[in-house]
Amino acid sequence: ENPLVAETGLCQLHHGRLFAERLGPGAMAMELESQAAVKEKDECQERRAEASARSLCIATGMMITAATLVLPSRPAVILAIKGDRAANTMGKMSAAAAVVELLVNPLLGRLCDHHGRKPFMLMAMVSNTFLRAMSTSMQSSIVAQFVDRMLSGAMIFAFQAPAAVAMADLFAK
């Protein structure tokens, strides 16, 4: 512990006692109780921040794992559907996804700021689950693959951006 900080803390405590002694023994007890209550409140807030950070890390890990599990299988599915035009189709899917993300992500960011983070994080997880289920159940449909590719990227942003902001807010001082 920094001796200067410890000394400053002792000085503040000493001055608080002198002030409380001038007001009487009851005021001194109230001052010490008040300091203990503030310390307990700070410790409680710190424990909550650590628990929230842990939950955010776990949720982020689950979301990223779910997103990356699908990536290796997509080219094989598109190859089975389109044959020799698979590379061209994958390029069009990526371009369409980029346009959707360019248009949707700023809107999602503003809505998230207005309505809160949690609804958008939950919406992103539920949407990605639905999109993955749809693309898996309709593997021979190029439309289902396009929709999954276009919307899943935006939903990953709808989760990651609020999660990053929430983490920054937890530890900002």
Side-chain angles (χ1 to χ4, degrees), residues 125-146:
M125 288 190 281
V126 170
S127 297
N128 264 349
T129 302
F130 172 77
L131 289 167
R132 299 301 187 227
M134 177 194 67
S135 70
T136 302
S137 65
M138 297 186 232
Q139 284 189 358
S140 60
S141 170
I142 193 68
V143 174
Q145 302 307 317
F146 257 93

mmCIF file with all atom_site columns, all heavy atoms in Angstrom, residues 125-146:
data_model
loop_
_atom_site.group_PDB
_atom_site.id
_atom_site.type_symbol
_atom_site.label_atom_id
_atom_site.label_alt_id
_atom_site.label_comp_id
_atom_site.label_asym_id
_atom_site.label_entity_id
_atom_site.label_seq_id
_atom_site.pdbx_PDB_ins_code
_atom_site.Cartn_x
_atom_site.Cartn_y
_atom_site.Cartn_z
_atom_site.occupancy
_atom_site.B_iso_or_equiv
_atom_site.pdbx_formal_charge
_atom_site.auth_seq_id
_atom_site.auth_comp_id
_atom_site.auth_asym_id
_atom_site.auth_atom_id
_atom_site.pdbx_PDB_model_num
ATOM 1   N N   . MET A 1 125 ? -29.173 -13.169 -29.609 1.00 0.00 ? 125 MET A N   1
ATOM 2   C CA  . MET A 1 125 ? -28.981 -14.607 -29.365 1.00 0.00 ? 125 MET A CA  1
ATOM 3   C C   . MET A 1 125 ? -30.156 -15.420 -29.895 1.00 0.00 ? 125 MET A C   1
ATOM 4   O O   . MET A 1 125 ? -29.966 -16.449 -30.545 1.00 0.00 ? 125 MET A O   1
ATOM 5   C CB  . MET A 1 125 ? -28.778 -14.856 -27.877 1.00 0.00 ? 125 MET A CB  1
ATOM 6   C CG  . MET A 1 125 ? -27.419 -14.381 -27.389 1.00 0.00 ? 125 MET A CG  1
ATOM 7   S SD  . MET A 1 125 ? -27.026 -14.891 -25.716 1.00 0.00 ? 125 MET A SD  1
ATOM 8   C CE  . MET A 1 125 ? -27.965 -13.720 -24.769 1.00 0.00 ? 125 MET A CE  1
ATOM 9   N N   . VAL A 1 126 ? -31.372 -14.948 -29.651 1.00 0.00 ? 126 VAL A N   1
ATOM 10  C CA  . VAL A 1 126 ? -32.562 -15.666 -30.129 1.00 0.00 ? 126 VAL A CA  1
ATOM 11  C C   . VAL A 1 126 ? -32.609 -15.652 -31.658 1.00 0.00 ? 126 VAL A C   1
ATOM 12  O O   . VAL A 1 126 ? -32.905 -16.670 -32.293 1.00 0.00 ? 126 VAL A O   1
ATOM 13  C CB  . VAL A 1 126 ? -33.843 -15.062 -29.514 1.00 0.00 ? 126 VAL A CB  1
ATOM 14  C CG1 . VAL A 1 126 ? -35.092 -15.610 -30.167 1.00 0.00 ? 126 VAL A CG1 1
ATOM 15  C CG2 . VAL A 1 126 ? -33.871 -15.315 -28.018 1.00 0.00 ? 126 VAL A CG2 1
ATOM 16  N N   . SER A 1 127 ? -32.315 -14.498 -32.258 1.00 0.00 ? 127 SER A N   1
ATOM 17  C CA  . SER A 1 127 ? -32.330 -14.390 -33.726 1.00 0.00 ? 127 SER A CA  1
ATOM 18  C C   . SER A 1 127 ? -31.305 -15.319 -34.363 1.00 0.00 ? 127 SER A C   1
ATOM 19  O O   . SER A 1 127 ? -31.600 -15.998 -35.353 1.00 0.00 ? 127 SER A O   1
ATOM 20  C CB  . SER A 1 127 ? -32.042 -12.955 -34.165 1.00 0.00 ? 127 SER A CB  1
ATOM 21  O OG  . SER A 1 127 ? -33.036 -12.102 -33.700 1.00 0.00 ? 127 SER A OG  1
ATOM 22  N N   . ASN A 1 128 ? -30.097 -15.343 -33.810 1.00 0.00 ? 128 ASN A N   1
ATOM 23  C CA  . ASN A 1 128 ? -29.079 -16.235 -34.371 1.00 0.00 ? 128 ASN A CA  1
ATOM 24  C C   . ASN A 1 128 ? -29.469 -17.694 -34.219 1.00 0.00 ? 128 ASN A C   1
ATOM 25  O O   . ASN A 1 128 ? -29.229 -18.495 -35.121 1.00 0.00 ? 128 ASN A O   1
ATOM 26  C CB  . ASN A 1 128 ? -27.712 -15.973 -33.736 1.00 0.00 ? 128 ASN A CB  1
ATOM 27  C CG  . ASN A 1 128 ? -26.883 -15.035 -34.568 1.00 0.00 ? 128 ASN A CG  1
ATOM 28  O OD1 . ASN A 1 128 ? -27.218 -14.726 -35.705 1.00 0.00 ? 128 ASN A OD1 1
ATOM 29  N ND2 . ASN A 1 128 ? -25.797 -14.569 -34.003 1.00 0.00 ? 128 ASN A ND2 1
ATOM 30  N N   . THR A 1 129 ? -30.095 -18.038 -33.108 1.00 0.00 ? 129 THR A N   1
ATOM 31  C CA  . THR A 1 129 ? -30.567 -19.417 -32.927 1.00 0.00 ? 129 THR A CA  1
ATOM 32  C C   . THR A 1 129 ? -31.603 -19.764 -33.984 1.00 0.00 ? 129 THR A C   1
ATOM 33  O O   . THR A 1 129 ? -31.540 -20.827 -34.621 1.00 0.00 ? 129 THR A O   1
ATOM 34  C CB  . THR A 1 129 ? -31.165 -19.596 -31.519 1.00 0.00 ? 129 THR A CB  1
ATOM 35  O OG1 . THR A 1 129 ? -30.166 -19.272 -30.551 1.00 0.00 ? 129 THR A OG1 1
ATOM 36  C CG2 . THR A 1 129 ? -31.663 -21.005 -31.302 1.00 0.00 ? 129 THR A CG2 1
ATOM 37  N N   . PHE A 1 130 ? -32.551 -18.859 -34.201 1.00 0.00 ? 130 PHE A N   1
ATOM 38  C CA  . PHE A 1 130 ? -33.583 -19.085 -35.220 1.00 0.00 ? 130 PHE A CA  1
ATOM 39  C C   . PHE A 1 130 ? -32.960 -19.183 -36.614 1.00 0.00 ? 130 PHE A C   1
ATOM 40  O O   . PHE A 1 130 ? -33.308 -20.071 -37.403 1.00 0.00 ? 130 PHE A O   1
ATOM 41  C CB  . PHE A 1 130 ? -34.626 -17.962 -35.177 1.00 0.00 ? 130 PHE A CB  1
ATOM 42  C CG  . PHE A 1 130 ? -35.596 -18.018 -36.309 1.00 0.00 ? 130 PHE A CG  1
ATOM 43  C CD1 . PHE A 1 130 ? -36.632 -18.941 -36.312 1.00 0.00 ? 130 PHE A CD1 1
ATOM 44  C CD2 . PHE A 1 130 ? -35.474 -17.152 -37.392 1.00 0.00 ? 130 PHE A CD2 1
ATOM 45  C CE1 . PHE A 1 130 ? -37.525 -19.014 -37.362 1.00 0.00 ? 130 PHE A CE1 1
ATOM 46  C CE2 . PHE A 1 130 ? -36.366 -17.215 -38.449 1.00 0.00 ? 130 PHE A CE2 1
ATOM 47  C CZ  . PHE A 1 130 ? -37.391 -18.148 -38.438 1.00 0.00 ? 130 PHE A CZ  1
ATOM 48  N N   . LEU A 1 131 ? -32.045 -18.268 -36.940 1.00 0.00 ? 131 LEU A N   1
ATOM 49  C CA  . LEU A 1 131 ? -31.409 -18.274 -38.267 1.00 0.00 ? 131 LEU A CA  1
ATOM 50  C C   . LEU A 1 131 ? -30.617 -19.559 -38.506 1.00 0.00 ? 131 LEU A C   1
ATOM 51  O O   . LEU A 1 131 ? -30.673 -20.141 -39.593 1.00 0.00 ? 131 LEU A O   1
ATOM 52  C CB  . LEU A 1 131 ? -30.491 -17.059 -38.417 1.00 0.00 ? 131 LEU A CB  1
ATOM 53  C CG  . LEU A 1 131 ? -31.196 -15.707 -38.556 1.00 0.00 ? 131 LEU A CG  1
ATOM 54  C CD1 . LEU A 1 131 ? -30.200 -14.578 -38.375 1.00 0.00 ? 131 LEU A CD1 1
ATOM 55  C CD2 . LEU A 1 131 ? -31.911 -15.611 -39.886 1.00 0.00 ? 131 LEU A CD2 1
ATOM 56  N N   . ARG A 1 132 ? -29.895 -20.006 -37.487 1.00 0.00 ? 132 ARG A N   1
ATOM 57  C CA  . ARG A 1 132 ? -29.125 -21.254 -37.645 1.00 0.00 ? 132 ARG A CA  1
ATOM 58  C C   . ARG A 1 132 ? -30.055 -22.455 -37.816 1.00 0.00 ? 132 ARG A C   1
ATOM 59  O O   . ARG A 1 132 ? -29.786 -23.345 -38.624 1.00 0.00 ? 132 ARG A O   1
ATOM 60  C CB  . ARG A 1 132 ? -28.221 -21.493 -36.436 1.00 0.00 ? 132 ARG A CB  1
ATOM 61  C CG  . ARG A 1 132 ? -27.201 -20.420 -36.204 1.00 0.00 ? 132 ARG A CG  1
ATOM 62  C CD  . ARG A 1 132 ? -26.267 -20.230 -37.372 1.00 0.00 ? 132 ARG A CD  1
ATOM 63  N NE  . ARG A 1 132 ? -25.224 -19.297 -36.992 1.00 0.00 ? 132 ARG A NE  1
ATOM 64  C CZ  . ARG A 1 132 ? -24.832 -18.287 -37.710 1.00 0.00 ? 132 ARG A CZ  1
ATOM 65  N NH1 . ARG A 1 132 ? -25.399 -18.056 -38.867 1.00 0.00 ? 132 ARG A NH1 1
ATOM 66  N NH2 . ARG A 1 132 ? -23.876 -17.504 -37.312 1.00 0.00 ? 132 ARG A NH2 1
ATOM 67  N N   . ALA A 1 133 ? -31.130 -22.477 -37.055 1.00 0.00 ? 133 ALA A N   1
ATOM 68  C CA  . ALA A 1 133 ? -32.095 -23.579 -37.181 1.00 0.00 ? 133 ALA A CA  1
ATOM 69  C C   . ALA A 1 133 ? -32.721 -23.573 -38.575 1.00 0.00 ? 133 ALA A C   1
ATOM 70  O O   . ALA A 1 133 ? -32.888 -24.628 -39.202 1.00 0.00 ? 133 ALA A O   1
ATOM 71  C CB  . ALA A 1 133 ? -33.164 -23.472 -36.109 1.00 0.00 ? 133 ALA A CB  1
ATOM 72  N N   . MET A 1 134 ? -33.050 -22.379 -39.077 1.00 0.00 ? 134 MET A N   1
ATOM 73  C CA  . MET A 1 134 ? -33.652 -22.267 -40.406 1.00 0.00 ? 134 MET A CA  1
ATOM 74  C C   . MET A 1 134 ? -32.678 -22.744 -41.482 1.00 0.00 ? 134 MET A C   1
ATOM 75  O O   . MET A 1 134 ? -33.040 -23.540 -42.357 1.00 0.00 ? 134 MET A O   1
ATOM 76  C CB  . MET A 1 134 ? -34.054 -20.816 -40.676 1.00 0.00 ? 134 MET A CB  1
ATOM 77  C CG  . MET A 1 134 ? -34.631 -20.591 -42.066 1.00 0.00 ? 134 MET A CG  1
ATOM 78  S SD  . MET A 1 134 ? -34.726 -18.856 -42.519 1.00 0.00 ? 134 MET A SD  1
ATOM 79  C CE  . MET A 1 134 ? -33.007 -18.410 -42.629 1.00 0.00 ? 134 MET A CE  1
ATOM 80  N N   . SER A 1 135 ? -31.429 -22.274 -41.429 1.00 0.00 ? 135 SER A N   1
ATOM 81  C CA  . SER A 1 135 ? -30.471 -22.661 -42.469 1.00 0.00 ? 135 SER A CA  1
ATOM 82  C C   . SER A 1 135 ? -30.119 -24.144 -42.386 1.00 0.00 ? 135 SER A C   1
ATOM 83  O O   . SER A 1 135 ? -29.851 -24.769 -43.418 1.00 0.00 ? 135 SER A O   1
ATOM 84  C CB  . SER A 1 135 ? -29.213 -21.803 -42.397 1.00 0.00 ? 135 SER A CB  1
ATOM 85  O OG  . SER A 1 135 ? -28.464 -22.101 -41.255 1.00 0.00 ? 135 SER A OG  1
ATOM 86  N N   . THR A 1 136 ? -30.142 -24.707 -41.180 1.00 0.00 ? 136 THR A N   1
ATOM 87  C CA  . THR A 1 136 ? -29.861 -26.134 -41.036 1.00 0.00 ? 136 THR A CA  1
ATOM 88  C C   . THR A 1 136 ? -31.013 -26.979 -41.552 1.00 0.00 ? 136 THR A C   1
ATOM 89  O O   . THR A 1 136 ? -30.803 -28.001 -42.209 1.00 0.00 ? 136 THR A O   1
ATOM 90  C CB  . THR A 1 136 ? -29.576 -26.475 -39.560 1.00 0.00 ? 136 THR A CB  1
ATOM 91  O OG1 . THR A 1 136 ? -28.476 -25.690 -39.125 1.00 0.00 ? 136 THR A OG1 1
ATOM 92  C CG2 . THR A 1 136 ? -29.257 -27.938 -39.379 1.00 0.00 ? 136 THR A CG2 1
ATOM 93  N N   . SER A 1 137 ? -32.240 -26.538 -41.269 1.00 0.00 ? 137 SER A N   1
ATOM 94  C CA  . SER A 1 137 ? -33.402 -27.327 -41.705 1.00 0.00 ? 137 SER A CA  1
ATOM 95  C C   . SER A 1 137 ? -33.663 -27.191 -43.203 1.00 0.00 ? 137 SER A C   1
ATOM 96  O O   . SER A 1 137 ? -34.303 -28.049 -43.796 1.00 0.00 ? 137 SER A O   1
ATOM 97  C CB  . SER A 1 137 ? -34.647 -26.934 -40.912 1.00 0.00 ? 137 SER A CB  1
ATOM 98  O OG  . SER A 1 137 ? -35.010 -25.604 -41.199 1.00 0.00 ? 137 SER A OG  1
ATOM 99  N N   . MET A 1 138 ? -33.168 -26.128 -43.821 1.00 0.00 ? 138 MET A N   1
ATOM 100 C CA  . MET A 1 138 ? -33.368 -25.914 -45.261 1.00 0.00 ? 138 MET A CA  1
ATOM 101 C C   . MET A 1 138 ? -32.019 -25.842 -45.968 1.00 0.00 ? 138 MET A C   1
ATOM 102 O O   . MET A 1 138 ? -31.712 -24.858 -46.641 1.00 0.00 ? 138 MET A O   1
ATOM 103 C CB  . MET A 1 138 ? -34.142 -24.618 -45.488 1.00 0.00 ? 138 MET A CB  1
ATOM 104 C CG  . MET A 1 138 ? -35.524 -24.594 -44.920 1.00 0.00 ? 138 MET A CG  1
ATOM 105 S SD  . MET A 1 138 ? -36.346 -23.080 -45.444 1.00 0.00 ? 138 MET A SD  1
ATOM 106 C CE  . MET A 1 138 ? -36.908 -22.442 -43.896 1.00 0.00 ? 138 MET A CE  1
ATOM 107 N N   . GLN A 1 139 ? -31.218 -26.861 -45.814 1.00 0.00 ? 139 GLN A N   1
ATOM 108 C CA  . GLN A 1 139 ? -29.864 -26.829 -46.370 1.00 0.00 ? 139 GLN A CA  1
ATOM 109 C C   . GLN A 1 139 ? -29.827 -26.737 -47.881 1.00 0.00 ? 139 GLN A C   1
ATOM 110 O O   . GLN A 1 139 ? -28.857 -26.252 -48.444 1.00 0.00 ? 139 GLN A O   1
ATOM 111 C CB  . GLN A 1 139 ? -29.090 -28.061 -45.909 1.00 0.00 ? 139 GLN A CB  1
ATOM 112 C CG  . GLN A 1 139 ? -28.647 -27.960 -44.485 1.00 0.00 ? 139 GLN A CG  1
ATOM 113 C CD  . GLN A 1 139 ? -27.701 -29.083 -44.111 1.00 0.00 ? 139 GLN A CD  1
ATOM 114 O OE1 . GLN A 1 139 ? -27.403 -29.960 -44.911 1.00 0.00 ? 139 GLN A OE1 1
ATOM 115 N NE2 . GLN A 1 139 ? -27.223 -29.043 -42.882 1.00 0.00 ? 139 GLN A NE2 1
ATOM 116 N N   . SER A 1 140 ? -30.865 -27.173 -48.554 1.00 0.00 ? 140 SER A N   1
ATOM 117 C CA  . SER A 1 140 ? -30.840 -27.125 -50.020 1.00 0.00 ? 140 SER A CA  1
ATOM 118 C C   . SER A 1 140 ? -31.393 -25.817 -50.571 1.00 0.00 ? 140 SER A C   1
ATOM 119 O O   . SER A 1 140 ? -31.417 -25.618 -51.781 1.00 0.00 ? 140 SER A O   1
ATOM 120 C CB  . SER A 1 140 ? -31.631 -28.302 -50.591 1.00 0.00 ? 140 SER A CB  1
ATOM 121 O OG  . SER A 1 140 ? -32.970 -28.230 -50.156 1.00 0.00 ? 140 SER A OG  1
ATOM 122 N N   . SER A 1 141 ? -31.806 -24.898 -49.699 1.00 0.00 ? 141 SER A N   1
ATOM 123 C CA  . SER A 1 141 ? -32.372 -23.622 -50.147 1.00 0.00 ? 141 SER A CA  1
ATOM 124 C C   . SER A 1 141 ? -31.304 -22.531 -50.117 1.00 0.00 ? 141 SER A C   1
ATOM 125 O O   . SER A 1 141 ? -30.791 -22.175 -49.047 1.00 0.00 ? 141 SER A O   1
ATOM 126 C CB  . SER A 1 141 ? -33.543 -23.221 -49.243 1.00 0.00 ? 141 SER A CB  1
ATOM 127 O OG  . SER A 1 141 ? -33.931 -21.900 -49.515 1.00 0.00 ? 141 SER A OG  1
ATOM 128 N N   . ILE A 1 142 ? -31.004 -21.991 -51.279 1.00 0.00 ? 142 ILE A N   1
ATOM 129 C CA  . ILE A 1 142 ? -30.015 -20.910 -51.348 1.00 0.00 ? 142 ILE A CA  1
ATOM 130 C C   . ILE A 1 142 ? -30.557 -19.642 -50.691 1.00 0.00 ? 142 ILE A C   1
ATOM 131 O O   . ILE A 1 142 ? -29.809 -18.867 -50.104 1.00 0.00 ? 142 ILE A O   1
ATOM 132 C CB  . ILE A 1 142 ? -29.557 -20.659 -52.812 1.00 0.00 ? 142 ILE A CB  1
ATOM 133 C CG1 . ILE A 1 142 ? -28.304 -19.766 -52.846 1.00 0.00 ? 142 ILE A CG1 1
ATOM 134 C CG2 . ILE A 1 142 ? -30.657 -20.044 -53.629 1.00 0.00 ? 142 ILE A CG2 1
ATOM 135 C CD1 . ILE A 1 142 ? -27.082 -20.411 -52.305 1.00 0.00 ? 142 ILE A CD1 1
ATOM 136 N N   . VAL A 1 143 ? -31.880 -19.444 -50.749 1.00 0.00 ? 143 VAL A N   1
ATOM 137 C CA  . VAL A 1 143 ? -32.493 -18.267 -50.113 1.00 0.00 ? 143 VAL A CA  1
ATOM 138 C C   . VAL A 1 143 ? -32.294 -18.321 -48.605 1.00 0.00 ? 143 VAL A C   1
ATOM 139 O O   . VAL A 1 143 ? -31.939 -17.318 -47.970 1.00 0.00 ? 143 VAL A O   1
ATOM 140 C CB  . VAL A 1 143 ? -33.998 -18.167 -50.475 1.00 0.00 ? 143 VAL A CB  1
ATOM 141 C CG1 . VAL A 1 143 ? -34.664 -17.047 -49.702 1.00 0.00 ? 143 VAL A CG1 1
ATOM 142 C CG2 . VAL A 1 143 ? -34.166 -17.962 -51.975 1.00 0.00 ? 143 VAL A CG2 1
ATOM 143 N N   . ALA A 1 144 ? -32.509 -19.492 -48.002 1.00 0.00 ? 144 ALA A N   1
ATOM 144 C CA  . ALA A 1 144 ? -32.308 -19.633 -46.556 1.00 0.00 ? 144 ALA A CA  1
ATOM 145 C C   . ALA A 1 144 ? -30.859 -19.361 -46.183 1.00 0.00 ? 144 ALA A C   1
ATOM 146 O O   . ALA A 1 144 ? -30.572 -18.725 -45.157 1.00 0.00 ? 144 ALA A O   1
ATOM 147 C CB  . ALA A 1 144 ? -32.721 -21.030 -46.104 1.00 0.00 ? 144 ALA A CB  1
ATOM 148 N N   . GLN A 1 145 ? -29.922 -19.804 -47.005 1.00 0.00 ? 145 GLN A N   1
ATOM 149 C CA  . GLN A 1 145 ? -28.497 -19.575 -46.741 1.00 0.00 ? 145 GLN A CA  1
ATOM 150 C C   . GLN A 1 145 ? -28.160 -18.080 -46.860 1.00 0.00 ? 145 GLN A C   1
ATOM 151 O O   . GLN A 1 145 ? -27.390 -17.548 -46.055 1.00 0.00 ? 145 GLN A O   1
ATOM 152 C CB  . GLN A 1 145 ? -27.632 -20.410 -47.693 1.00 0.00 ? 145 GLN A CB  1
ATOM 153 C CG  . GLN A 1 145 ? -27.873 -21.904 -47.614 1.00 0.00 ? 145 GLN A CG  1
ATOM 154 C CD  . GLN A 1 145 ? -27.762 -22.462 -46.210 1.00 0.00 ? 145 GLN A CD  1
ATOM 155 O OE1 . GLN A 1 145 ? -26.855 -22.108 -45.463 1.00 0.00 ? 145 GLN A OE1 1
ATOM 156 N NE2 . GLN A 1 145 ? -28.679 -23.337 -45.843 1.00 0.00 ? 145 GLN A NE2 1
ATOM 157 N N   . PHE A 1 146 ? -28.745 -17.409 -47.858 1.00 0.00 ? 146 PHE A N   1
ATOM 158 C CA  . PHE A 1 146 ? -28.535 -15.966 -48.019 1.00 0.00 ? 146 PHE A CA  1
ATOM 159 C C   . PHE A 1 146 ? -29.076 -15.205 -46.812 1.00 0.00 ? 146 PHE A C   1
ATOM 160 O O   . PHE A 1 146 ? -28.407 -14.325 -46.263 1.00 0.00 ? 146 PHE A O   1
ATOM 161 C CB  . PHE A 1 146 ? -29.228 -15.449 -49.298 1.00 0.00 ? 146 PHE A CB  1
ATOM 162 C CG  . PHE A 1 146 ? -28.292 -15.190 -50.434 1.00 0.00 ? 146 PHE A CG  1
ATOM 163 C CD1 . PHE A 1 146 ? -28.047 -16.168 -51.384 1.00 0.00 ? 146 PHE A CD1 1
ATOM 164 C CD2 . PHE A 1 146 ? -27.664 -13.969 -50.563 1.00 0.00 ? 146 PHE A CD2 1
ATOM 165 C CE1 . PHE A 1 146 ? -27.189 -15.936 -52.439 1.00 0.00 ? 146 PHE A CE1 1
ATOM 166 C CE2 . PHE A 1 146 ? -26.802 -13.719 -51.614 1.00 0.00 ? 146 PHE A CE2 1
ATOM 167 C CZ  . PHE A 1 146 ? -26.563 -14.708 -52.554 1.00 0.00 ? 146 PHE A CZ  1
#
